[in-house]
Amino acid sequence: EVQLVESGGGLVQPGGSLRLSCAASGFTMSWYWMTWVRQAPGKGLEWVANINQDGRERNYGDSVKGRFIISRDNAKIYLHMSSLRAEDTAVYYCARAGIWDSDDWGHGTLVTVSS
Amino acid sequence: DVQMTQSPSAMSTSVGDRVTITCRASQVIFNALAWFQQKPGKVPKRLINGASSLQEYVPSRFSGSGSGTEFTLTISSLQPEDFGSYFCLQYNVYPYTFGQGTKLEI
């Protein structure tokens, strides 16, 4: 059974940094693109970033470009978030592959940016 | 970036209704469009990709159509379990972009 488990969310002050992690089981993560998607409370979905199998290709949404970095190692994918703003408050989901081609999402981790 | 304009933003519906949700892309995205359903507190569930390819677990009352810039998701006869929010996603061009969502209230 495929499982994705996000961690690292929490309360952070504006301007601060946070690193999210996503651990996978039930499949070989290194074979797949991986994606982060977020959802602000009561709002819609926002595609955040993805990374290819060897980590050399990374793509970002406009609202996070230059502030967030997606990375991976053999076991996990990460989202390094810096210069955080109130509007980054959201549940962050990791997902296998491109999301349009996979049904596997984690349950999300909540990031709250507030003073 | 490709802007996805989804309409309506909300609908009050009844069981048995035929429901159509539309997504319009700001540029041609061919058939690189997916539809997701999300229920409150739950993870989004993929319904359709390639604009019209229904995932195997999705009831046949759901269908998708369109190509280029205009896309529709149709539910032929709404069931009580279909309440929730629906989102389109274009994956033709980075950054991928979602529509704003449609909330179905039954």
Side-chain angles (χ1 to χ4, degrees):
Chain A
E1 179 192 5
V2 170
Q3 281 198 315
L4 294 164
V5 180
E6 303 92 340
S7 60
L11 176 64
V12 60
Q13 293 192 335
S17 299
L18 208 58
R19 188 186 78 164
L20 305 183
S21 302
C22 173
S25 61
F27 70 102
T28 305
M29 184 187 264
S30 61
W31 291 359
Y32 293 90
W33 284 75
M34 295 294 293
T35 299
W36 287 98
V37 174
R38 71 183 181 182
Q39 187 167 34
K43 302 296 184 182
L45 300 169
E46 182 181 6
W47 185 88
V48 173
N50 70 0
I51 187 167
N52 77 335
Q53 290 88 335
D54 64 11
R56 293 182 183 182
E57 185 173 348
R58 312 177 196 198
N59 300 284
Y60 297 93
D62 285 350
S63 63
V64 307
K65 195 177 295 185
R67 301 186 300 122
F68 290 12
I69 297 173
I70 188 171
S71 65
R72 66 189 302 161
D73 59 27
N74 288 337
K76 294 184 180 181
I77 64 163
Y78 304 94
L79 191 66
H80 308 258
M81 306 185 295
S82 60
S83 302
L84 283 161
R85 308 165 180 165
E87 54 265 37
D88 296 316
T89 295
V91 173
Y92 286 73
Y93 298 100
C94 77
R96 184 166 68 120
I99 68 172
W100 58 270
D101 54 352
S102 160
D103 299 315
D104 300 312
W105 295 55
H107 288 282
T109 186
L110 176 62
V111 172
T112 303
V113 183
S114 175
S115 55
Chain B
D1 295 3
V2 178
Q3 308 302 317
M4 300 301 296
T5 303
Q6 187 173 339
S7 61
S9 57
M11 286 182 73
S12 181
T13 57
S14 300
V15 173
D17 282 355
R18 181 181 181 87
V19 170
T20 299
I21 300 169
T22 298
C23 267
R24 177 176 297 148
S26 60
Q27 65 189 66
V28 170
I29 59 168
F30 305 99
N31 68 340
L33 186 104
W35 289 98
F36 294 84
Q37 176 194 64
Q38 188 181 30
K39 298 196 176 182
K42 300 294 186 183
V43 174
K45 173 185 171 183
R46 182 180 56 147
L47 300 176
I48 287 168
N49 66 358
S52 60
S53 296
L54 204 67
Q55 301 314 300
E56 59 184 14
Y57 48 77
V58 177
S60 58
R61 63 181 179 273
F62 289 87
S63 63
S65 64
S67 183
T69 61
E70 296 277 341
F71 302 87
T72 59
L73 173 70
T74 301
I75 309 172
S76 60
S77 179
L78 204 65
Q79 299 302 300
E81 60 267 30
D82 299 335
F83 81 94
S85 295
Y86 292 81
F87 299 90
C88 63
L89 168 78
Q90 72 79 19
Y91 55 91
N92 185 62
V93 177
Y94 286 119
Y96 294 171
T97 42
F98 285 95
Q100 302 94 321
T102 297
K103 186 174 183 179
L104 290 190
E105 297 164 331
I106 299 177

